Amino acid sequence: MATAAHIGATVSRILTLIVLLFVASCAPEVPSLNCDLVALARLPIEVRGRLLTVPVTIAGQTVRLVVDSGAERTTLSEAAVARLHLPRDLKRVHTSTGIGGTVTSADAVVSDFVLGQARLPIDRVGVGRFGFDTEANPLADGLLGADILLAFDLDIDVPNKTLTIYRVRRCVNNQPPWQEPFVAIAGVTAKKDRLLIPFVLDGAPGTAILDTGASSTTIGVQMAQRMGLNDQTMAMDRKIVQRGAGSGTMTSHLHWFKELRVGPAVVRGLMLSVLPTDAGVGDALIGEDFLEGRRVWLSFPTRQVFVSKLAHEIAPRR
């Protein structure tokens, strides 16, 4: 949801290294090319407002965090930090910029962080402002970000509402442990703790952040300009107000597109928001509207993404 400044990127890499070391210390000694599936945690997914949320235990209390591969850091809302009575570390200040504007805040100190069955050696998390802070019954208490998620192989089973976290398999010809038909997304890359996938929108190619925390796919201004879209060509489009990790808002156009193609997976006839800025989005964020109804395997360390096919994408047997 947010693009962090340099200090945030440094913290993110440190946290990722800590998690990787933790996983290595807990796993049995195996050859470096061991392809065994080792599940470290399973968490139930609850979909709230098109956001995938999971329970996490922090300081002995349960919170619900959005599974957000597009967020650089795991971050609690200010309301959640107050409710949990977490102290702040004024020496660890983090700045992030996104759709909601720029936010600067001191980290929260946590005594423990438990993800399913796994206790992670994390003692600091970010603190942010979200649109759900102001609601009586917030959709979530924060974000489970890339600093943790992308240290593992992830099986995000949206239809069966389960997130399974696996030890990374660094072997040739990995495939997801599914019975469902699936497709591999070719050309997956990474940049600054972001998993990037190629896509084609109405014939125009681009590179998108695969953002499990985005409720809808969003197009950045540079991608829109390459497609010939501007205020004039979108003058008849409905405008919507979007919120992110901050108190600010951004007005975007809701534009009709014929086809979104992510590898062999295709979604036809869809309304996508077009931002007036890139705001950390780049060409696009591929969000929950694409993931809906699919099972997704993400491996940031090995640059692999698999998605299950929807019914209309499965060729009938002859």
Side-chain angles (χ1 to χ4, degrees), residues 124-229:
R124 300 288 190 282
V125 295
V127 181
R129 302 187 188 100
F130 306 96
F132 44 68
D133 277 359
T134 59
E135 300 178 9
N137 296 305
L139 297 176
D141 297 303
L143 314 174
L144 182 61
D147 55 339
I148 293 176
L149 290 173
L150 298 188
F152 305 100
D153 286 352
L154 304 175
D155 180 1
I156 306 173
D157 189 351
V158 180
N160 293 307
K161 296 182 173 56
T162 304
L163 169 65
T164 306
I165 297 174
Y166 289 92
R167 186 186 64 195
V168 176
R169 292 187 301 168
R170 299 182 183 274
C171 56
V172 181
N173 298 323
N174 276 344
Q175 291 190 345
W178 303 340
Q179 297 299 318
E180 299 96 323
F182 66 88
V183 294
I185 306 301
V188 177
T189 57
K191 182 179 180 181
K192 293 183 179 179
D193 299 334
R194 297 295 193 276
L195 199 60
L196 305 177
I197 57 176
F199 71 98
V200 178
L201 182 62
D202 286 356
T207 302
I209 298 171
L210 184 56
D211 189 352
T212 60
S215 59
S216 61
T217 296
T218 302
I219 307 302
V221 67
Q222 291 186 24
M223 180 70 186
Q225 291 172 349
R226 294 203 304 271
M227 299 181 69
L229 299 176

Side-chain angles (χ1 to χ4, degrees), residues 12-25:
S12 176
R13 285 191 290 271
I14 292 173
L15 284 175
T16 299
L17 178 60
I18 290 173
V19 174
L20 287 170
L21 291 173
F22 165 75
V23 172
S25 68

Side-chain angles (χ1 to χ4, degrees), residues 26-45:
C26 292
E29 291 187 8
V30 292
S32 60
L33 296 182
N34 190 305
C35 295
D36 293 342
L37 278 171
V38 178
L40 302 171
R42 287 187 174 88
L43 298 95
I45 290 175

Side-chain angles (χ1 to χ4, degrees), residues 6 15 59 61 72-73 77 106 132 146 153 193 198-199 211 214 226 243 249 262 279 282 288 301 305 310:
H6 177 72
L15 284 175
Q61 301 182 66
E72 185 177 82
R73 291 194 70 199
S77 69
F132 44 68
D153 286 352
D193 299 334
F199 71 98
D211 189 352
R226 294 203 304 271
R243 300 179 184 274
T249 61
V262 180
E288 169 60 16
V305 176
L310 299 179

